[in-house]
Amino acid sequence: MPTTITLDLAARRSEVIIGENTLSQLPQWLAQQSRIGKRGVLITDSNVDPLYGDQVLESLESQNYNITRIVIPAGEASKNMQQISDICRAMLQAELDRHSFLIALGGGVIGDAAGFAAAIFQRGIPVVQIPTTVVAQVDSSVGGKTGVNTPEGKNLIGAFHQPDLVFADVQTLNTLPEREYNEGFAEIIKHAAIRDASLLDLVEEIGLEKIKLVELITRNVAIKAAIVEEDERETTGTRALLNFGHTIGHGIEAAAGYGKMLHGEAISLGLVAAIRLSQQHSGLSDDQAQRLIAALKLVQLPTQLDPSIDREKILRILRLDKKFIDGQIRFVLLKSIGNAFVSKDITFTDIETAVDALYQ
Ligand code: NAD
Ligand code: GLY
């Protein structure tokens, strides 16, 4: 029996179902959703469609759903405004209307882009997320952040649009390439660091073995769900804790060039920097810092910066970050594993020192 986590949010109730080998059971879970009718659109990418597109469509069609399929090119480059416009126009041409629903089948790129299309099509239609990457199952499919990138930056255009249903089948993770599987653990170790020390025990126990995956995903969704329920629109500071490791991580990702380093790999380095800043500024013990860094190494994530990634470029990007220009940096630190807070005491010099230490 799959596990269920329900988020009670201002916008709506959002249900997350996590199971193994459950993809073909989608129609029976959809049937329990009051806002979802029989007419819908499935949006997926060119890698995921040949793996799971037919299976999902056939299971729905056997239960009399009428679903239009739209496939977009795989990769971060598809998360742009032109793609959203193309998706919405294809939906209009297929005569979908405000009573239709949208299924996003894929990783975080599909979840964010298709979720955004659902947020604006006919001023908003219900969305069902079917996440197929570790990143999407533990993080991006839950919580309703949708959006696209522009040349000015990542995720700067978007909307909160909570899914009615998130339907995660851990079996789909078996087809992920190794690097893409491993990178998802950066967000898992982040969740353990900010909220749940005992999740680290599970990571240390299973490492990269594909066992206990339903438990692993469920425990991460529970952490994210609790944070989103507390601070759905990121206004009180609680949801900002999810940005632990992301300030410096995003700077490294952009400096390396999007696509060269996977998001989770850059976040791993951002986590190492934030862990060291926590040792220096908020009393994180050396033992706990070493334990977190060892967990990143265990799942084969980088903990040292490749010298080919230019220090000045990283710092230039970080300096341009709005958070720094405004003077007061809001930087997430740890007091101990599981106990995070937003600090205003980190200076740009501290950040510079932390970036330098990543090269050693
Ligand atoms: P992705 O969607 O690009 O997927 C990674 C690669 O794996 C792609 O090539 C994809 O086609 C392929 N793939 C997906 N599922 C597969 C499967 N089961 N088998 C084989 N291949 C598969 O990337 P991602 O890492 O899932 O997500 C990254 C995106 O998520 C970024 O754009 C990031 O900004 C966003 N994100 C959003 C949130 C949020 O809260 N909304 C949180 C974290 C990340
Ligand atoms: N991934 C960060 C958030 O959902 O807030």
Side-chain angles (χ1 to χ4, degrees):
M1 192 60 189
T3 59
T4 301
I5 292 176
T6 303
L7 285 79
D8 276 312
L9 301 166
R12 67 182 55 90
R13 231 173 125 85
S14 193
E15 202 162 43
V16 187
I17 312 289
I18 303 140
E20 185 158 15
N21 256 322
T22 43
L23 211 49
S24 57
Q25 297 168 19
L26 176 64
Q28 75 198 50
W29 292 94
L30 276 186
Q32 295 173 31
Q33 292 294 323
S34 59
R35 295 192 334 131
I36 292 189
K38 289 284 183 184
R39 178 76 177 113
V41 59
L42 173 83
I43 314 235
T44 188
D45 78 26
S46 50
N47 289 337
V48 177
D49 184 50
L51 293 167
Y52 304 109
D54 287 349
Q55 189 185 341
V56 170
L57 271 183
E58 280 160 20
S59 72
L60 290 170
E61 280 162 7
S62 73
Q63 299 302 313
N64 302 319
Y65 285 87
N66 175 8
I67 307 290
T68 297
R69 171 170 18 194
I70 297 176
V71 182
I72 68 172
E76 188 74 29
S78 280
K79 235 179 90 171
N80 66 61
M81 285 300 277
Q82 185 57 50
Q83 192 62 251
I84 298 302
S85 169
D86 292 349
I87 289 171
C88 288
R89 290 198 57 201
M91 286 164 65
L92 290 168
Q93 284 155 20
E95 298 183 355
L96 287 138
D97 62 22
R98 67 193 176 88
H99 303 293
S100 311
F101 69 100
L102 184 150
I103 299 174
L105 171 69
V109 166
I110 283 293
D112 282 13
F116 185 43
I120 61 174
F121 184 78
Q122 306 272 355
R123 300 194 180 84
I125 59 172
V127 63
V128 174
Q129 295 275 355
I130 307 185
T132 62
T133 63
V134 178
V135 171
Q137 293 194 356
V138 301
D139 189 352
S140 62
S141 65
V142 177
K145 279 191 183 175
T146 72
V148 293
N149 307 324
T150 60
E152 289 74 18
K154 241 176 104 84
N155 300 331
L156 296 180
I157 308 288
F160 283 99
H161 191 55
Q162 295 294 347
D164 286 52
L165 178 69
V166 178
F167 193 73
D169 179 352
V170 299
Q171 185 71 23
T172 60
L173 304 180
N174 286 323
T175 52
L176 268 181
E178 197 180 322
R179 250 180 100 192
E180 273 78 3
Y181 182 81
N182 300 356
E183 70 153 333
F185 279 77
E187 304 294 358
I188 292 174
I189 293 168
K190 174 195 80 179
H191 282 154
I194 62 170
R195 266 293 164 106
D196 181 3
S198 71
L199 175 60
L200 212 53
D201 297 337
L202 182 61
V203 173
E204 288 164 347
E205 181 195 339
I206 67 175
L208 292 171
E209 261 191 276
K210 290 197 176 106
I211 53 170
K212 298 194 176 183
L213 287 181
V214 171
E215 180 185 346
L216 181 71
I217 304 300
T218 303
R219 289 186 60 176
N220 278 277
V221 169
I223 291 169
K224 179 142 187 196
I227 289 175
V228 172
E229 274 188 330
E230 235 176 276
D231 182 16
E232 185 178 349
R233 296 266 170 158
E234 203 166 321
T235 50
T236 67
T238 304
R239 190 163 180 168
L241 300 179
L242 292 169
N243 296 332
F244 181 60
H246 281 57
T247 302
I248 293 178
H250 276 157
I252 293 170
E253 188 180 8
Y258 290 118
K260 295 233 172 57
M261 190 178 255
L262 296 180
H263 176 72
E265 294 168 345
I267 295 307
S268 175
L269 293 163
L271 288 171
V272 173
I275 289 164
R276 289 187 180 142
L277 285 166
S278 300
Q279 280 176 283
Q280 293 150 10
H281 295 271
S282 55
L284 179 69
S285 72
D286 294 346
D287 283 355
Q288 294 206 343
Q290 285 321 315
R291 190 177 168 206
L292 286 166
I293 292 172
L296 293 166
K297 288 183 178 159
L298 177 72
V299 293
Q300 293 177 18
L301 285 170
T303 54
Q304 257 185 318
L305 247 174
D306 185 326
S308 71
I309 301 172
D310 185 37
R311 168 189 189 272
E312 289 313 313
K313 198 167 175 193
I314 299 172
L315 295 176
R316 200 164 51 242
I317 290 166
L318 287 173
R319 251 185 233 106
L320 284 174
D321 189 315
K322 195 161 59 58
K323 294 192 278 298
F324 296 101
I325 293 169
D326 289 348
Q328 267 199 339
I329 304 166
R330 292 168 64 81
F331 199 94
V332 183
L333 293 177
L334 302 179
K335 289 182 183 156
S336 59
I337 298 177
N339 185 359
F341 70 105
V342 179
S343 166
K344 290 183 183 161
D345 296 334
I346 298 298
T347 64
F348 197 77
T349 310
D350 297 327
I351 304 264
E352 231 170 336
T353 311
V355 170
D356 285 341
L358 288 174
Y359 286 102
Q360 287 148 26

